[in-house]
Amino acid sequence: MDNLNQLVKECDVELYDTEIVNENSRTIYRVYITKKGGVNLDDCERVSRLLSPIFDVTPPVSGEYTLEVSSPGIERRLEKQKHYISSIGELVRINTALLDVRGEILSADDNSVTLKTEDGILTIDYINIKKAKTYLEW
């Protein structure tokens, strides 16, 4: 993943995450990228053109697959500490074994995320988070 981070930076974007999914009996390797001001189609195309020949030699998955490069979107999952830090000020829904809570991310550090919720300020340790996703309130 470190090599992928460095490669993506050559295109003036940041690596957000990767995932492997199977849809309609085909394997898709997705690379999510971000940058200040948002990702556009040209950014995705540049990253795809950079990665395609490298992945032809050293595939990221075994067997046949399709490479997709995109933005993680406005409503995106949060899994890593850096995801929470980059989402400070955004609305998030977090599920733990005991809670299903919504709020604004006030801060995030090495161990936890702090939210402003309807009931007050709440700090949740990452280790207790089952699922987290940003959301947009219309």
Side-chain angles (χ1 to χ4, degrees), residues 14-114:
E14 296 287 324
L15 179 66
Y16 184 81
D17 209 353
T18 62
E19 73 175 345
I20 300 168
V21 295
N22 290 304
E23 293 179 0
N24 302 321
S25 25
R26 58 177 221 177
T27 302
I28 301 170
Y29 183 72
R30 289 197 177 120
V31 176
Y32 295 106
I33 57 173
T34 60
K35 76 174 185 182
K36 287 216 186 278
V39 170
N40 61 39
L41 191 55
D42 290 337
D43 296 321
C44 295
E45 188 177 330
R46 257 193 322 278
V47 171
S48 182
R49 273 191 271 124
L50 175 71
L51 296 180
S52 287
I54 294 167
F55 288 167
D56 285 347
V57 175
T58 310
V61 297
S62 59
E64 242 182 80
Y65 71 95
T66 301
L67 171 64
E68 288 185 3
V69 178
S70 70
S71 160
I74 294 172
E75 294 188 353
R76 62 198 176 281
R77 70 178 191 271
L78 306 176
E79 293 181 347
K80 300 173 182 158
Q81 173 195 359
K82 72 177 191 169
H83 296 165
Y84 291 92
I85 291 170
S86 68
S87 300
I88 291 173
E90 295 185 54
L91 296 174
V92 66
R93 179 179 181 176
I94 295 178
N95 296 322
T96 71
L98 303 173
L99 293 171
D100 182 8
V101 64
R102 292 175 185 246
E104 176 187 343
I105 298 178
L106 295 178
S107 66
D109 61 26
D110 291 343
N111 303 309
S112 62
V113 59
T114 300

